[in-house]
Structures are given as structure tokens and as C-alpha cells.
Amino acid sequence: MSHTPIDYSQLFRLDGRTVVVIGAGSGIGRESAQALAAQGAHVVVADYSLEGAEATVALITERGGVAEAVELNVLDDAAVEAAAERFGTASALVFTAATNVRKRMDDYSLDEFDRVVNLNLRASFQLIRRFGARFAANGGGSIVGFASIRAQVVEPGQGVYAATKAGLVQLAKTAAAEYGAQGVRVNVVAPGVVETPLTAQIKANDEWYGAYAEKAALGRWARPDELAGAVVYLASDASSFVTGSTLFVDGGWTAIDGRFTPPAS
């Protein structure tokens, strides 16, 4: 079977495509939106904070990119359905919205449990299936969620957050299986520790910050912009045969034990 030669110079380009980024008003989502726009995508910058979304759009347009701001509460099922209907012809969906309550299990209230599960897992479920169905009906697309190293390795105080991220990994695998025949790919990025508002509590504690930096093979935390390349890869044709996968961007955190470096001989 003949195959048209690939123009590798265009492998990551997104010209003429629309990409929806939910949670793009700050942090990893904002950096991802800028990176996607730089590759030629028309970026729909969606966030709970319209002000944050508009600030991201300003960053994109001042560099010659194309973007629009949309206010979206992912906990509102009707709003998610409307967004999927409106942007169902996009080529990709990226979503980063998440929250965490750092408490040991004995200290967790059920209200806190519901808050973390509803945003991290229930909303992800709704986004994946609503956009997945639209993409499937419109010839395919790429869905990129954000899990965490906590989907695989945990520590005290991370139980509920870790459970939601592990759940997201399994939802993505299932969606990859269910929508794959219609050309929809579903993957997740799993960051390590990233300097974002969500980790401000840790960053403020020098001992805690240093311990996390030493755990990674690279000896430091990630910057939000260091996740953007993974997003562009998964949203573009560069990953055309990648689905149901978890891409770790963790500085080697999950690759090594990290607590002791033995002598070489």
C-alpha cells in the first residue's frame, strides 16, 4: 500500500486547526495554550476565570497568534455539553483543571472528598465523553488530560488526589478503546512537581521544596512551560499512533528510587 511521504517539517504544526484548552487561564494550561498557538492553532482559551482566560488570549495575540476567551465551569454539566456542541469540530481538547486538599485520610471531611473528586474525576469524565462523542462524530481528534505522578506513586496526605489521578488514567484508556475506531485518540500527561499555584504551599517550605527537588533525577522542580511540549506532541500529528498512553514529564521522579546514591564500586 502506497503512502504519501511525510513532510517532517510540518509534524508538529497545527495550522488551520482549533484546539480547546480548559484551565488555560493560568499555570500549565496557559503555557500550553501559548505553545499550541505558536504552532498555528486557533486556541479556545477556556477557564473558570474569564479574566484569566482573557489575559492568556492577550499573551497569544500580542505574539501574532489567534485565540478567543471562553468562561467555562467544568462542574456545570450543561455548560460542558454546550462547549462540546460548540467546539465539537475542534481537532483537540486539552484540560488541566484540578484541585487538591492535602490531608491524611483520617482528617478528610466528605465535603473535601467530594470537592476533589468532582473537579478532578467527575468533570474529567464529562469532558472526555462529551468531547469524545463529538470528535468521533466529526472524524476524529485528540484528547489530552492531565494526570500526575500521584497516579502511580503516593505519599501521606495525597490519597484522594492520587485516587482521582489514577482514575483519570483508566478513564483515558477506556475512552481510547471506545473511540479509537472513530479516529479519536485519548492520552494523559503525568507531571512531576511543578511550580504552580497548586503547589504554593510546598514551595513556601524550604525543606519540603528541597526534598522534592532532590527526588527528581534532574534535581529540580519543573516549570509550567516544560509541560507544553508534551501537549503539542499529543495534540499534533507527531503522535498519530499514540493513544491510551500516559506520558510522564516528571524529571525522572518515577524512574529512580532517589533516596540514596550508592558508590559506583
Side-chain angles (χ1 to χ4, degrees), residues 17-263:
R17 305 186 195 185
T18 297
V19 179
V20 180
V21 184
I22 297 174
S26 64
I28 295 169
R30 171 172 284 176
E31 300 300 329
S32 298
Q34 292 179 83
L36 292 160
Q39 293 300 322
H42 171 113
V43 182
V44 177
V45 178
D47 200 276
Y48 181 80
S49 166
L50 182 58
E51 182 180 4
E54 289 174 339
T56 300
V57 168
L59 290 171
I60 291 170
T61 56
E62 71 184 16
R63 293 179 173 87
V66 180
E68 62 181 293
V70 174
E71 184 176 359
L72 178 62
N73 177 4
V74 293
L75 295 174
D76 182 338
D77 292 336
V80 169
E81 177 63 33
E85 176 72 26
R86 180 179 175 187
F87 301 112
T89 56
S91 70
L93 166 72
V94 180
F95 61 93
T96 68
T99 190
N100 192 7
V101 175
R102 293 178 175 277
K103 287 185 177 179
R104 289 177 179 257
M105 293 172 69
D106 284 347
D107 299 324
Y108 241 86
S109 71
L110 287 180
D111 283 344
E112 290 168 333
F113 177 92
D114 288 343
R115 176 151 53 93
V116 175
V117 170
N118 284 341
L119 182 57
N120 295 9
L121 190 58
R122 187 184 186 279
S124 296
F125 174 65
Q126 290 290 74
L127 288 168
I128 289 171
R129 67 177 183 158
R130 297 307 182 208
F131 275 86
R134 297 294 178 186
F135 285 0
N138 290 313
S142 174
I143 297 175
V144 183
F146 267 79
S148 167
I149 55 171
R150 297 302 173 210
Q152 181 170 316
V153 293
V154 301
E155 66 184 4
Q158 293 275 50
V160 180
Y161 179 81
T164 62
K165 293 305 186 179
L168 173 56
V169 168
Q170 295 302 90
L171 284 179
K173 289 180 179 179
T174 305
E178 292 183 357
Y179 298 120
Q182 287 76 47
V184 180
R185 300 184 295 108
V186 188
N187 297 284
V188 295
V189 178
V193 185
V194 188
E195 294 183 351
T196 69
L198 194 62
T199 55
Q201 174 188 356
I202 307 168
K203 189 177 177 182
N205 183 317
D206 289 341
E207 184 179 2
W208 204 347
Y209 183 92
Y212 276 11
E214 291 173 7
K215 176 65 179 75
L218 297 180
R220 61 179 178 84
W221 289 37
R223 303 184 310 272
D225 62 272
E226 292 182 297
L227 281 300
V231 172
V232 171
Y233 166 68
L234 291 173
S236 72
D237 291 342
S239 61
S240 59
F241 203 63
V242 178
T243 194
S245 294
T246 301
L247 175 53
F248 284 91
V249 186
D250 64 356
W253 184 296
T254 54
I256 61 174
D257 183 272
R259 289 170 294 182
F260 175 65
T261 301

